[in-house]
């Protein structure tokens, strides 16, 4: 538990540093350069636009700025017409949120519009300079947040590579454990594999988020413009890894059903599951390898083809249970996903299996 917390802190150090730097700079610009009396929202906007999540920072900044502007504009207009009070606050919140929802589907926009409208309705008289200063503070904080994110960036490829490697590492072990459980006809062991496979969804979600963040950093940060091609290559593996994880769960569910009915899976099919574990390891090493290092995608594809040759449809010729034949179908589908992780297009990956009879 302590190790996980320390690792979580370690991975958050750069985003924390970005938020701290951006907050200080935003206050300096709003207070010392623009001479706003209490520019508390400038550092708040900077921190909100960055946050610990690396994905969608550009969108968060835009939603923040426009949400505040909409709220102040709507609040000024409505309060000027109907005055202040309890029911007026309800009206101005509804109006500001309705305008924000109409303008965009972003979740932050209505919230910021409503909070800014409430500020106008309760603390700031309509047309007061403080309201427009708050809108300017939102712009200052959002822009500075984006600049800090671009100039003090997290390595956009490293996190996604680490995420993918961690998932592949987990399924390497689960593949071997599943094979051992099937050889021993151990229902509990197979069930434990299924439980662990299901528990990996959060890791998949993190991978997708970090891939998205990597693309954003690669677009905004001049320091990583030269890494865009590598980012595209890494991003292309996210969906196939996700699909492979889903297919592995299906394989494990079928294996569990067979074990529960006392059906012994044919040894060649169990060996194929074991070999898939070795393929997960090759793909893990591929994700961690630097450009020009081995194994690369071509090396991983060669390793996969040697396993694909063992996944011939004739393995199901002598099986007595249709579920066992279905298990082979799922294993072949899993191999297609893994071939795509190794860089093959789907049509090419499927063609590899059609060669094998």
């Amino acid at each position: 538990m302590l190790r996980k917390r320390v690792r979580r802190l370690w991975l958050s150090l750069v985003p924390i540093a970005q938020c701290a730097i951006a907050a200080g700079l935003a206050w300096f610009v709003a207070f010392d350069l623009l001479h706003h009396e209490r520019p508390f929202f400038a550092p708040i906007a900077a921190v909100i636009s960055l946050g610990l999540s690396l994905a969608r920072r550009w969108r968060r900044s835009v939603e923040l700025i426009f949400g505040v502007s909409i709220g102040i504009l709507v609040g000024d207009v409505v309060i000027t017409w109907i005055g202040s009070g309890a029911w007026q606050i309800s009206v101005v919140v509804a109006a500001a949120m309705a305008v924000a929802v109409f303008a965009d589907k972003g979740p932050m926009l209505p919230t910021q519009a409503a909070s800014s409208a409430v500020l106008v309705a309760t603390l700031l008289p309509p047309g007061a300079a403080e309201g427009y200063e708050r809108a300017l503070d939102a712009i200052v904080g959002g822009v500075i947040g984006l600049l800090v994110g671009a100039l003090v960036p997290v390595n956009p490829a490293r996190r996604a590579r680490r995420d993918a490697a961690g998932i592949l590492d987990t399924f390497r072990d689960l593949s071997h454990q599943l094979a051992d459980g099937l050889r021993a006809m151990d229902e509990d062991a197979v069930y434990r594999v299924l439980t662990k496979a299901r528990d990996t969804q959060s890791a998949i979600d993190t991978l997708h988020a970090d891939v998205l963040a990597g693309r954003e950093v690669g677009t905004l940060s001049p320091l990583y413009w030269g890494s865009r091609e590598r980012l595209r290559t890494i991003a292309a593996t996210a969906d196939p890894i996700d699909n492979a994880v889903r297919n592995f769960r299906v394989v494990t569910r079928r294996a569990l059903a067979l074990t529960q009915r006392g059906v012994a899976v044919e040894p060649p099919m169990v060996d194929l599951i074991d070999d898939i574990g070795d393929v997960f390891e090759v793909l893990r090493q591929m994700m961690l390898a630097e450009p020009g290092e081995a194994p690369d995608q071509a090396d991983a594809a060669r390793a996969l083809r040697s396993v694909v040759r063992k996944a011939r449809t004739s393995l199901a010729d002598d099986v007595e249970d249709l579920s066992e034949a279905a298990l082979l179908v799922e294993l072949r589908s899993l191999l297609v996903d893994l071939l795509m992780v190794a860089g093959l297009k789907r049509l090419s990956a499927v063609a590899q299996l059609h060669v094998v009879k």
Side-chain angles (χ1 to χ4, degrees):
M1 182 64 71
L2 179 60
R3 181 181 298 177
K4 287 184 178 179
R5 295 184 180 188
V6 171
R7 178 172 175 76
R8 184 169 65 240
L9 175 60
W10 173 256
L11 294 175
S12 300
L13 287 180
V14 173
I16 289 172
Q18 289 176 327
C19 289
I21 293 170
L25 284 175
W27 176 271
F28 172 76
V29 171
F31 184 78
D32 292 280
L33 300 184
L34 299 180
H35 305 294
H36 292 177
E37 186 176 350
R38 291 186 299 273
F40 63 91
F41 197 66
I44 291 175
V47 171
I48 291 174
S49 66
L50 286 171
L52 293 183
S53 173
L54 301 180
R56 301 187 184 279
R57 285 178 162 182
W58 168 256
R59 183 169 183 83
R60 286 204 299 270
S61 295
V62 172
E63 287 182 15
L64 182 71
I65 292 168
F66 279 99
V68 170
S69 301
I70 288 172
I72 290 173
L73 176 62
V74 171
D76 262 344
V77 172
V78 174
I79 295 301
T80 299
W81 286 354
I82 66 176
S84 298
W87 69 268
Q88 288 91 338
I89 291 177
S90 297
V91 171
V92 79
V93 166
M97 294 187 77
V99 171
V101 169
F102 179 80
D104 190 79
K105 63 181 180 180
M108 186 181 292
L109 198 65
T111 303
Q112 290 299 326
S115 61
S116 296
V118 168
L119 186 64
V120 172
T122 57
L123 297 179
L124 303 177
E130 291 91 338
Y132 298 103
E133 285 183 1
R134 186 173 190 267
L136 183 55
D137 289 342
I139 295 173
V140 168
V143 170
I144 287 179
L146 288 177
L147 288 175
V148 170
L151 299 177
V152 190
V154 175
N155 187 308
R158 184 178 300 157
R159 290 177 73 113
R161 287 168 56 202
R162 182 206 66 227
D163 296 337
I167 294 167
L168 295 167
D169 180 76
T170 296
F171 282 89
R172 172 202 63 198
D173 295 341
L174 292 181
S175 296
H176 293 317
Q177 291 168 18
L178 178 58
D180 292 341
L182 289 174
R183 291 190 183 103
M185 292 288 289
D186 187 339
E187 179 184 333
D188 290 338
V190 176
Y191 182 77
R192 285 194 296 271
V193 171
L194 180 58
T195 300
K196 292 176 183 177
R198 286 170 171 165
D199 288 343
T200 58
Q201 189 56 48
S202 61
I204 292 292
D205 295 340
T206 299
L207 170 62
H208 283 296
D210 283 344
V211 164
L212 182 62
R215 286 174 169 173
E216 188 172 290
V217 171
T219 300
L220 296 177
S221 176
L223 300 177
Y224 288 104
W225 285 348
S227 302
R228 289 177 182 175
E229 183 60 37
R230 177 151 176 77
L231 286 169
R232 281 192 289 269
T233 301
I234 295 170
T237 67
D239 285 339
I241 289 175
D242 191 348
N243 293 334
V245 167
R246 295 174 190 273
N247 268 326
F248 186 89
R249 292 172 188 153
V250 174
V251 166
T252 309
R253 283 198 299 271
R254 291 198 180 277
L256 179 61
L258 288 165
T259 306
Q260 288 171 334
R261 296 203 307 273
V263 177
V265 178
E266 293 294 323
M269 215 175 297
V270 177
D271 292 340
L272 177 60
I273 294 172
D274 222 353
D275 290 337
I276 287 175
D278 296 334
V279 167
F280 274 118
E281 171 59 19
V282 174
L283 291 172
R284 184 192 71 83
Q285 294 176 14
M286 178 198 77
M287 292 303 305
L288 294 178
E290 297 295 335
E293 293 182 353
D296 57 13
Q297 286 187 320
D299 297 325
R302 280 193 292 272
L304 266 159
R305 290 189 185 98
S306 68
V307 176
V308 166
R309 285 192 289 270
K310 301 177 184 179
R312 56 192 184 277
T313 55
S314 59
L315 288 180
D317 288 348
D318 299 324
V319 301
E320 298 180 359
D321 195 299
L322 289 178
S323 292
E324 194 171 354
L327 176 63
L328 178 60
V329 172
E330 297 298 343
L331 286 170
R332 287 166 63 88
S333 180
L334 173 58
L335 286 169
V336 169
D337 295 327
L338 297 180
L339 283 165
M340 292 177 67
V341 176
L344 275 70
K345 300 295 184 183
R346 182 165 186 82
L347 287 177
S348 299
V350 171
Q352 299 295 316
L353 286 177
H354 286 168
V355 174
V356 181
K357 301 296 184 181

